Amino acid sequence: MRLSILTLCGGLLAASLALLPVAQADPARQLAETLSVNGQPMPVERVRETPLEGFYEVTLSSGETFYSNADGSHFLVGDLYENAERGLVNLTEQGRNAERSARLAAVPESERVIYRGTGETRAELVVFTDTTCPYCRQLHEEVPRLNEMGIEVHYLAFPRSGLGSPGGRQLQQVWCADNKAEAMSAAKREEALSGAADCDNPVEEQYHLGMQLGVQGTPAIVLPDGRLVPGYVPAERLAAMLGLSE
């Protein structure tokens, strides 16, 4: 009888240990590995917890974000807000901002077209641009004033009509030029560029990065905290948005 009890206890212990990893599995990781729609796995980039118990923020490789319960049987699409003492706080947008900031920080300076002033740098703007865009040209006219205020302008490529468009080719010519800043300024003065467009350049990669980060048109200005500001903004207003004064 004693042997049978010990055997029984041993069997129960083994069964409990076998079940333990399942019980302790990370729900976010499990959701990332199993999430599917119509039997097709979803291209999940990241899953993380939210303040809503039992719901997770899911980010796809395309940059799209939505919310799912733990087993992926129900989705919520839209922004998540916190009703805080200081008012409504868009938690989803805060996450997007952090993602933009981190992704852009990984782009090396060698792959940017940079305009710096001669004085102390006080802030840095990243701008997705298209040389054929009228509002991009208007913003480019503000670059000397921004530089005077200690604001660097870092251009990334975003051919708004697609990679095969005239703007896409011109951006490749800019990035292939020996002096990218001079070529960018010439293109935005609507001067024809004679340089090649077939060098190893990051235009396609930056175009896809922009789409993943929510860029839909140009210019698209990204502030240091990751906030995305679409369209033309005058230099003085940009300085105020950065918290800078003379």
Side-chain angles (χ1 to χ4, degrees):
M1 178 65 70
R2 184 177 178 184
L3 180 60
S4 62
I5 292 174
L6 289 174
T7 302
L8 177 61
C9 290
L12 290 173
L13 178 60
S16 299
L17 290 174
L19 292 172
L20 189 58
V22 176
Q24 291 184 342
D26 178 7
R29 180 177 178 182
Q30 202 165 32
L31 182 62
E33 294 174 350
T34 61
L35 191 61
S36 64
V37 172
N38 292 332
Q40 298 298 315
M42 299 196 74
V44 176
E45 181 76 22
R46 182 185 65 247
V47 175
R48 59 187 179 189
E49 294 182 355
T50 74
L52 287 178
E53 184 176 355
F55 269 82
Y56 298 85
E57 182 185 81
V58 179
T59 302
L60 303 181
S61 57
S62 63
E64 296 172 277
T65 297
F66 60 95
Y67 298 91
S68 172
N69 61 345
D71 65 6
S73 61
H74 292 80
F75 296 161
L76 286 174
V77 179
D79 287 2
L80 178 64
Y81 287 81
E82 177 187 1
N83 189 9
E85 290 184 5
R86 63 186 184 278
L88 293 177
V89 178
N90 189 329
L91 300 180
T92 305
E93 187 60 27
Q94 284 185 348
R96 292 191 193 108
N97 293 344
E99 175 75 5
R100 284 191 202 101
S101 182
R103 295 284 299 277
L104 292 176
V107 178
E109 287 197 356
S110 61
E111 295 182 1
R112 307 177 182 205
V113 179
I114 302 175
Y115 292 83
R116 292 187 173 98
T118 57
E120 176 189 2
T121 296
R122 304 168 69 194
E124 174 188 309
L125 294 175
V126 175
V127 181
F128 286 90
T129 194
D130 181 343
T131 51
T132 65
C133 159
Y135 289 108
C136 295
R137 294 171 182 153
Q138 189 175 2
L139 178 63
H140 192 67
E141 293 175 2
E142 302 277 352
V143 169
R145 177 61 182 142
L146 289 166
N147 288 166
E148 286 177 7
M149 292 186 286
I151 302 169
E152 293 186 7
V153 177
H154 292 224
Y155 281 129
L156 300 183
F158 191 86
R160 59 201 170 111
S161 298
L163 291 164
S165 66
R169 174 178 170 76
Q170 197 170 59
L171 285 167
Q172 292 182 64
Q173 287 179 289
V174 169
W175 259 263
C176 288
D178 292 335
N179 189 320
K180 294 191 287 289
E182 284 186 4
M184 179 71 79
S185 294
K188 291 194 175 184
R189 291 192 299 266
E190 300 187 66
E191 297 176 10
L193 300 181
S194 58
D198 57 356
C199 70
D200 183 17
N201 65 78
V203 171
E204 181 176 359
E205 181 181 350
Q206 291 179 6
Y207 176 63
H208 291 303
L209 174 63
M211 289 193 293
Q212 291 168 6
L213 298 184
V215 175
Q216 297 180 344
T218 55
I221 304 165
V222 185
L223 304 183
D225 63 2
R227 282 179 292 162
L228 179 62
V229 181
Y232 164 75
V233 180
E236 302 295 336
R237 185 176 163 202
L238 280 170
M241 295 171 72
L242 291 166
L244 301 178
S245 58
E246 290 294 335

